């Protein structure tokens, strides 16, 4: 069954102390007021993972890294491997965020290595896809997203695909305050689910959680989450305020 998921992406924000305080506030709110059927994930910087994981109730709040190394271990100065991420207590890895694709030249080949390592370690990848504004304006967003999926997660066998969470994030809506309309988000998520049904089966497509991301907030989450194919959100800015993040968790 598709899970409802709200995952925060803190990006390059907060010191460790600030991050732990934020995680503790979210944890407290989730335990006391959070919808019980929603999976909550906090995507923190690498430096925060262990402290955040130790500050939350792991049965209600999960921790994610925002990236991982494309190699298992060895002479790769500055990199953080999936097994290191796992050793902190984190259980999710955000992969292929558009900021990593754009600013750090993350390609489908690199992502395939990261996906394989993440799945091998038993962590859940949150695989991001989505088009830039020029592609949307040219009307080729579906073709573009299809290609992103075909070059990466659609190369996986069924049992591995089933372990993945997909996040559709139109780049033009990330951090801009410009959300995709509810209809635009629903259309793309239904399209992605249809692609999974064609490539795998309809039953498999019904098992996979697909999230929307891009200026999702306490104000618009309810409308977005009411759509039949939107299983939750990947939340940037609004995940840095515990009360806003809770409102999004409770927006289904
Ligand atoms: C993101 O970074 O994944 C994101 C969706 O950011 P924001 O919510 O700030 O648009």
């Amino acid at each position: 069954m598709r899970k409802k998921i709200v995952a925060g992406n803190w990006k390059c924000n907060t010191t460790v102390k600030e991050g732990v305080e934020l995680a503790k506030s979210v944890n407290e709110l989730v335990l006391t007021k959070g919808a019980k059927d929603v999976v909550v994930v906090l995507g923190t910087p690498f430096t925060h993972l262990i402290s955040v994981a130790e500050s939350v109730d792991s049965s209600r709040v999960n921790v994610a890294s925002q990236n991982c190394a494309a190699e298992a271990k060895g002479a790769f100065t500055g990199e953080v491997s999936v097994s290191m991420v796992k050793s902190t207590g984190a259980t999710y890895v955000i992969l292929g965020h558009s900021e990593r694709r754009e600013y750090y030249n993350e390609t489908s080949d690199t992502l395939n290595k990261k996906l394989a390592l993440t799945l091998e370690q038993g962590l859940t990848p949150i695989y991001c896809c989505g088009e830039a504004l020029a592609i949307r304006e040219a009307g080729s967003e579906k073709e573009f997203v299809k290609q992103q999926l075909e070059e990466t997660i659609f190369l996986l066998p069924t049992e591995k695909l089933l372990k993945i969470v997909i996040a559709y994030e139109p780049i033009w809506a990330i951090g801009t305050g410009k959300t995709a309309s509810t209809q635009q988000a629903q259309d793309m998520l239904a399209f992605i689910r249809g692609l999974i049904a064609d490539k795998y089966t309809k039953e498999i497509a019904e098992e996979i959680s697909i999230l929307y991301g891009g200026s999702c907030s306490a104000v618009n989450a309810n409308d977005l989450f009411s759509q039949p194919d939107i299983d939750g959100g990947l939340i940037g800015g609004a995940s840095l305020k515990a009360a806003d993040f809770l409102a999004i968790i409770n927006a289904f």
Side-chain angles (χ1 to χ4, degrees), residues 78-90:
E79 289 293 282
V80 178
S81 72
V82 183
S83 56
M84 292 173 195
V85 170
K86 186 179 180 179
S87 70
T88 67

Side-chain angles (χ1 to χ4, degrees), residues 96-104 128-130 169-171 174:
H97 191 282
S98 59
E99 287 154 15
R100 295 220 51 89
R101 292 182 193 255
E102 189 178 346
Y103 307 140
Y104 303 96
C128 305
C129 57
E169 301 202 303
I171 298 171
I174 297 177

Side-chain angles (χ1 to χ4, degrees), residues 214-227:
S215 300
C216 182
S217 69
V219 174
N220 59 31
N222 184 265
D223 211 21
L224 287 160
F225 296 174
S226 67
Q227 295 301 303

Side-chain angles (χ1 to χ4, degrees), residues 9-251:
N9 174 14
W10 294 358
K11 310 194 187 194
C12 189
N13 292 301
T14 73
T15 61
V16 174
K17 188 166 176 285
E18 289 162 351
V20 167
E21 276 163 20
L22 173 60
K24 283 184 177 165
S25 303
V26 171
N27 185 61
E28 176 67 18
L29 289 172
V30 167
L31 293 182
T32 53
K33 300 181 186 158
K36 300 240 173 331
D37 61 342
V38 177
V39 176
V40 177
V41 184
L42 302 180
T44 85
F46 287 129
T47 43
H48 302 30
L49 289 172
I50 190 158
S51 313
V52 167
E54 284 172 358
S55 308
V56 297
D57 177 343
S58 62
S59 70
R60 286 296 287 119
V61 179
N62 304 275
V63 180
S65 65
Q66 301 168 17
N67 181 28
C68 68
E71 307 293 337
K73 63 177 190 172
F76 302 101
T77 303
E79 289 293 282
V80 178
S81 72
V82 183
S83 56
M84 292 173 195
V85 170
K86 186 179 180 179
S87 70
T88 67
T91 49
Y92 286 74
V93 181
I94 299 170
L95 288 176
H97 191 282
S98 59
E99 287 154 15
R100 295 220 51 89
R101 292 182 193 255
E102 189 178 346
Y103 307 140
Y104 303 96
N105 303 319
E106 201 151 88
T107 62
S108 292
D109 285 348
T110 316
L111 281 172
N112 286 335
K113 290 187 193 167
K114 295 183 178 190
L115 279 163
L117 291 163
T118 302
L119 291 166
E120 220 171 88
Q121 290 291 329
L123 273 67
T124 303
I126 299 179
Y127 174 84
C128 305
C129 57
E131 80 288 354
L133 184 59
I135 295 171
R136 168 69 61 167
E137 283 176 348
S140 30
E141 66 276 6
K142 287 192 172 136
E143 209 177 299
F144 181 84
V145 169
K146 182 173 182 227
Q147 190 179 342
Q148 283 186 322
L149 299 173
E150 281 177 345
E151 288 178 357
T152 55
I153 58 171
F154 283 1
L155 298 174
L156 294 168
T158 306
E159 68 276 11
K160 290 194 173 161
L161 185 86
L162 281 167
K163 305 248 187 291
I164 289 179
V165 173
I166 300 172
Y168 166 65
E169 301 202 303
I171 298 171
W172 45 273
I174 297 177
T176 57
K178 190 177 171 189
T179 325
S181 72
T182 303
Q183 200 51 51
Q184 284 172 321
Q186 163 58 25
D187 279 355
M188 182 60 90
L189 269 59
F191 172 72
I192 294 172
R193 205 177 298 287
L195 291 175
I196 301 170
D198 290 347
K199 167 97 186 132
Y200 297 85
T201 65
K202 200 166 182 302
E203 289 69 32
I204 301 296
E206 277 306 315
E207 290 296 313
I208 295 183
S209 296
I210 312 180
L211 316 181
Y212 166 77
S215 300
C216 182
S217 69
V219 174
N220 59 31
N222 184 265
D223 211 21
L224 287 160
F225 296 174
S226 67
Q227 295 301 303
D229 285 288
I230 303 183
D231 300 316
L234 181 55
I235 318 297
S239 70
L240 294 168
K241 291 197 185 117
D244 287 1
F245 195 53
L246 177 77
I248 297 172
I249 292 164
N250 287 343

